[in-house]
Amino acid sequence: MQTPPLDPNVADKAPAGPVLTAYDEEHVVTYIRLLQAEGEGADWREVARLVLHIDPERQPDRARDAYQSHLARAKWMTEQGRLLRGTGSN
């Protein structure tokens, strides 16, 4: 795997299937930032603005949906062990 970009553009929704995707590999840093922010108790609106680059004041539904789906995907990757071990096959 190549080094993932530090600040890639995000989709409105993260992948939700049981298979690791190219999108997941590209967004490993995004997922880590989301998990860190949640662990620090950061406000989801600030995280959406800084990490996902979506303005929650102008697009509240899009920001909330993107935040929730990407955080859920980050947790899934952590629970599956992929994020901590890297994105290679098991």
Side-chain angles (χ1 to χ4, degrees), residues 28-87:
V28 167
V29 174
T30 302
Y31 296 149
I32 291 170
R33 291 176 70 195
L34 289 168
L35 291 168
Q36 287 175 331
E38 183 190 45
E40 294 171 3
D43 184 295
W44 75 267
R45 291 172 289 264
E46 192 68 14
V47 177
R49 183 178 295 107
L50 296 174
V51 177
L52 304 178
H53 307 291
I54 302 171
D55 185 343
E57 300 301 319
R58 295 175 62 171
Q59 298 178 300
D61 294 337
R62 177 177 176 241
R64 182 71 169 179
D65 289 348
Y67 172 79
Q68 289 177 334
S69 72
H70 282 81
L71 182 60
R73 189 64 170 186
K75 289 179 179 182
W76 174 81
M77 287 184 67
T78 301
E79 291 163 3
Q80 298 301 311
R82 291 180 177 94
L83 187 60
L84 298 177
R85 284 196 308 256
T87 55

Side-chain angles (χ1 to χ4, degrees), residues 18-31:
V19 176
L20 189 67
T21 68
Y23 184 92
D24 292 322
E25 290 179 2
E26 182 178 316
H27 288 82
V28 167
V29 174
T30 302
Y31 296 149

